[in-house]
Amino acid sequence: MPTINDVAKAAGVSPSTVSYVLSGRRPISAETRARVQAAIAELGFHPHAGARALASSKTNVIALVAPLRVDVNVPVIMQFATAVVTAARSYNHDVLLLTKDEGTAGLERVAHSTMVDALILMDLERDDLRIPALRRLKQPSVLIGLPQDHTGIACVDLDFGAAAREALAHLAGHGHRRIGLVGPSPAVYKRQTTYADRFLTGFLEASAELSLRTVTHPCEPGAEGVRSCLADLDAELDGLTALVVHNEEALRPLLDLLHATGRRVPDDISIVAVCPRDVATAMPIQLTSIDIPAHDVGTLAVETAMRLLDGRRVEYTRLLAPSLVERDSCREISTSHR
């Protein structure tokens, strides 16, 4: 295989000049750079990643920390991961995916071994124990989520509080006054996962502002969990005419249950889902939904990390506005049904 000395000889420069072209650590004239790059292409030279990292103090790798806990929706997590990987490649970076729930130990191991240039974290909790550890690292971090105290650490996410308000405002605009929330699993609420907390807070605030009668319940995974959740909602608020579903895995079993019990969507009950667009349109009835913008959030997280690596200014809190798309699962009800 060709070496850096072979490239230097072919380009008529010193090996150190080839190294500077590869690392970008010193300015090289455009003419010399072009000769070196032409020699690299002609010889098929591929610099060793470790040597590149040592020369530049950069690894061109971003860590994506996405613990695959039992209560997370893996397909949705993978949409975020795909967006991060795609955006990172546009910056000539690879992604190291960390899926084990290791707390601060995993972060410190990866950071202290200088394996990565920056870290992106998902599945944040309100009082996340990893935040103090992140502040001690030399690498910049970006959070997909919004913990209570994120001072000095950039955060990007969907504005889940605004999403809840958008869902209730849409249903209220269609005449619905008795609305239930099918929430994430109890484990998600117990961990105080930030997206669930923010959505629930927004839901309760909007309910009061709009003078609605609402009830909320977490939903265990599976058909039996959905059956129990719906029974609790019906028992606590008679005459429900609409549901907001903030639980992607509950959607299909919920629709199956409603169909089996003779409750037609949207004639008898309306539904607004909070889920990725492809999930909403893959259901037996196309669901009115607020999109989980995994592509936009993942891309923005990488862009923010790159700006931090370049020493540029960033907005330390970026919450994307929700976007509701009306499809076939909502109908307007008359005043006699309110």
Side-chain angles (χ1 to χ4, degrees):
M1 294 183 64
T3 67
I4 195 169
N5 290 326
D6 297 328
V7 173
K9 184 177 180 180
V13 298
S14 67
S16 62
T17 299
V18 177
S19 178
Y20 294 142
V21 169
L22 293 171
S23 68
R25 294 186 69 183
R26 289 190 183 180
I28 302 295
S29 71
E31 179 186 351
T32 300
R33 181 180 296 276
R35 289 207 316 273
V36 171
Q37 290 172 338
I40 288 172
E42 182 180 348
L43 295 173
F45 173 68
H46 297 286
H48 184 269
R52 252 194 340 261
L54 287 172
S56 65
S57 299
K58 291 180 63 178
T59 65
N60 281 59
V61 176
I62 296 173
L64 174 60
V65 185
L68 297 185
R69 301 183 173 103
V70 293
D71 54 353
V72 303
N73 188 315
V74 175
V76 174
I77 292 291
M78 288 302 103
Q79 289 193 18
F80 283 93
T82 299
V84 168
V85 169
T86 303
R89 286 311 309 151
S90 70
Y91 289 95
N92 196 33
H93 274 65
D94 293 312
V95 175
L96 175 64
L97 180 59
L98 304 175
T99 60
K100 189 175 180 180
D101 188 6
E102 299 181 277
T104 61
L107 302 179
E108 291 171 344
R109 184 186 72 253
V110 171
H112 293 162
S113 62
T114 63
M115 296 170 63
V116 299
D117 296 331
L119 300 95
I120 296 174
L121 279 72
M122 296 186 61
D123 201 33
L124 277 297
E125 298 170 7
R126 186 177 65 185
D127 298 308
D128 204 295
L129 298 178
R130 296 171 295 178
I131 300 301
L134 291 176
R135 293 195 179 104
R136 294 193 296 267
L137 302 181
K138 66 178 181 179
Q139 294 94 333
S141 301
V142 179
L143 310 180
I144 297 180
L146 190 67
Q148 189 166 23
D149 179 13
H150 61 92
T151 306
I153 302 177
C155 298
V156 300
D157 207 355
L158 171 67
D159 189 336
F160 279 96
R165 290 187 285 272
E166 181 83 5
L168 282 183
H170 181 79
L171 290 169
H174 283 64
H176 297 276
R177 313 302 298 174
R178 296 167 177 257
I179 303 168
L181 170 63
V182 178
S185 74
V188 170
Y189 284 121
K190 185 177 180 179
R191 289 192 291 107
Q192 298 182 313
T193 306
T194 64
Y195 71 85
D197 269 10
R198 286 151 47 212
F199 191 91
L200 180 59
T201 298
F203 186 92
L204 297 174
E205 290 175 351
S207 175
E209 292 165 4
L210 296 168
S211 300
L212 303 176
R213 296 188 63 185
T214 58
V215 60
T216 72
H217 264 284
C219 183
E220 293 277 9
E224 193 53 45
V226 170
R227 185 183 303 276
S228 176
C229 178
L230 186 59
D232 288 338
L233 292 172
D234 283 330
E236 292 186 29
L237 185 56
D238 184 48
L240 278 175
T241 64
L243 295 171
V244 176
V245 184
H246 187 206
N247 185 325
E248 300 91 344
E249 292 181 309
L251 286 169
R252 185 56 190 259
L254 175 63
L255 291 173
D256 291 344
L257 176 61
L258 292 172
H259 177 75
T261 54
R263 296 169 80 173
R264 298 165 299 167
V265 179
D267 294 340
D268 301 317
I269 191 162
S270 292
I271 293 177
V272 173
V274 183
C275 64
R277 186 175 291 106
D278 64 315
V279 174
T281 57
M283 293 294 136
I285 181 169
Q286 300 245 324
L287 298 176
T288 294
S289 72
I290 295 174
D291 184 33
I292 301 291
H295 173 78
D296 294 343
V297 171
T299 300
L300 182 57
V302 172
E303 291 174 352
T304 302
M306 292 299 108
R307 291 183 67 88
L308 289 169
L309 285 171
D310 291 341
R312 291 182 287 166
R313 295 182 61 184
V314 300
E315 290 184 49
Y316 275 85
T317 302
R318 289 285 303 275
L319 298 181
L320 303 186
S323 173
L324 185 146
V325 177
E326 183 154 18
R327 298 188 181 91
D328 303 328
S329 62
C330 289
R331 70 181 289 264
E332 190 161 349
I333 62 172
S334 62
T335 54
S336 61
H337 291 87
R338 298 179 186 177

